[in-house]
């Protein structure tokens, strides 16, 4: 007698059931793989989309930030510390190598010129340096001194060698004006006091050179 089960007997039914189960499991595996691939593609596409939006937003914001009229800019300025005098390519200096100690710039108003090399270190910390000559009107000097004294990360001092009556300087940026009523002064303060040009944002403006 043959040991094989004829069609329709329990052994044959069990074999078909196992075959159907294997097919179901195979379909389930293919389904999971498909879902995983599609999900990965969606995440990747979303990432690209977000990156584009962020990049696009940044580009738009950068386009909105225009140079202040009459502003001069410099790039690639040195940042080495040293104790010797430095010859700067602009007056007053808007950056470059400097003294290890910064000039105090917590709204400090100086009645005498301060060393370039110390003031440049203040610019590295994000300060705006206001300088003036004897061509500046006394009322303008007083107005600017009041503004500086109320503004952290600023300092002010006379600077006989500059060409303009009043000059505002930040790291890599400089603006010459004739009087304190110039609306560009407020723009310069708003943009560059601890602004994006700052090589060392958050660095202190106190505890340095006070005279």
């Amino acid at each position: 007698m043959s040991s094989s089960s004829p069609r329709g007997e329990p052994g044959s039914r069990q074999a078909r059931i196992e075959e159907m189960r294997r097919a179901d499991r195979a379909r389930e595996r293919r389904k999971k793989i498909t879902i995983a691939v599609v999900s990965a593609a969606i995440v990747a596409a979303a990432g690209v989309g977000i990156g584009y939006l962020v990049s696009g937003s940044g580009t738009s914001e950068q386009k909105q930030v225009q140079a202040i009229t009459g502003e001069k800019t410099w790039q690639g300025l040195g940042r080495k510390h040293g104790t010797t005098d430095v010859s700067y390519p602009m007056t007053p200096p808007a950056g470059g190598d400097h003294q290890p100690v910064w000039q105090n710039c917590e709204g400090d108003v100086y009645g005498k010129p301060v060393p370039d090399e110390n003031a440049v270190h203040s610019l590295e910390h994000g300060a705006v340096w206001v300088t003036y000559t004897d061509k500046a009107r006394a009322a303008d000097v007083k107005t600017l001194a009041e503004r500086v004294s109320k503004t952290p990360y600023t300092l002010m001092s006379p600077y006989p060698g500059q060409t303009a009556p009043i000059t505002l300087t930040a790291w890599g940026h400089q603006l010459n004006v004739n009087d304190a009523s110039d609306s560009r002064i407020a723009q310069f303060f708003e943009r560059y006091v601890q602004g994006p040009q700052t090589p060392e944002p958050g660095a202190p403006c106190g505890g340095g050179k006070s005279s």
Side-chain angles (χ1 to χ4, degrees), residues 78-81 96 98-102 105 120-127 153 171 192-205:
R79 293 177 53 197
K80 294 180 180 178
H81 289 181
H98 48 268
Q99 284 278 342
V101 180
W102 57 89
C105 45
V120 168
H121 196 153
S122 302
L123 302 183
E124 186 181 43
H125 289 193
Y153 285 93
W171 185 275
Y192 297 125
V193 171
Q194 277 285 283
Q197 86 293 341
T198 306
E200 296 182 3
C205 247

Side-chain angles (χ1 to χ4, degrees), residues 17-61:
I17 290 171
E18 287 299 326
E19 184 177 351
M20 291 173 63
R21 286 176 176 171
R22 286 195 296 270
D24 287 341
R25 287 195 293 269
R27 282 195 297 271
E28 188 65 24
R29 285 196 298 271
R30 289 195 297 270
K31 181 179 178 181
K32 289 180 179 180
I33 292 171
T34 301
I35 291 173
V37 170
V38 172
S39 298
I42 291 173
V43 170
V48 171
I50 291 171
Y52 172 78
L53 290 173
V54 171
S55 175
S57 174
T59 302
S60 176
E61 290 175 359

Side-chain angles (χ1 to χ4, degrees), residues 95-170:
D97 297 344
H98 48 268
Q99 284 278 342
V101 180
W102 57 89
Q103 193 73 32
N104 283 342
C105 45
E106 295 183 317
D108 293 84
V109 177
Y110 299 94
K112 296 180 180 180
V114 298
D116 286 350
E117 293 79 8
N118 299 100
V120 168
H121 196 153
S122 302
L123 302 183
E124 186 181 43
H125 289 193
V128 165
W129 183 19
V130 179
T131 53
Y132 60 95
T133 69
D134 56 5
K135 295 180 182 178
R137 290 190 290 268
D140 288 337
V141 173
K142 181 180 178 181
T143 296
L144 289 170
E146 290 175 352
R147 182 179 196 122
V148 167
S149 66
K150 298 175 183 177
T151 309
Y153 285 93
T154 64
L155 68 160
M156 181 174 175
S157 67
Y159 203 102
Q162 68 185 35
T163 57
I166 299 167
T167 299
L168 286 80
T169 305

Side-chain angles (χ1 to χ4, degrees), residues 167-188:
T167 299
L168 286 80
T169 305
W171 185 275
H173 299 266
Q174 193 167 84
L175 178 68
N176 293 326
V177 298
N178 292 320
D179 54 69
S181 63
D182 195 312
S183 61
R184 295 175 297 168
I185 294 175
Q187 287 181 273
F188 200 92

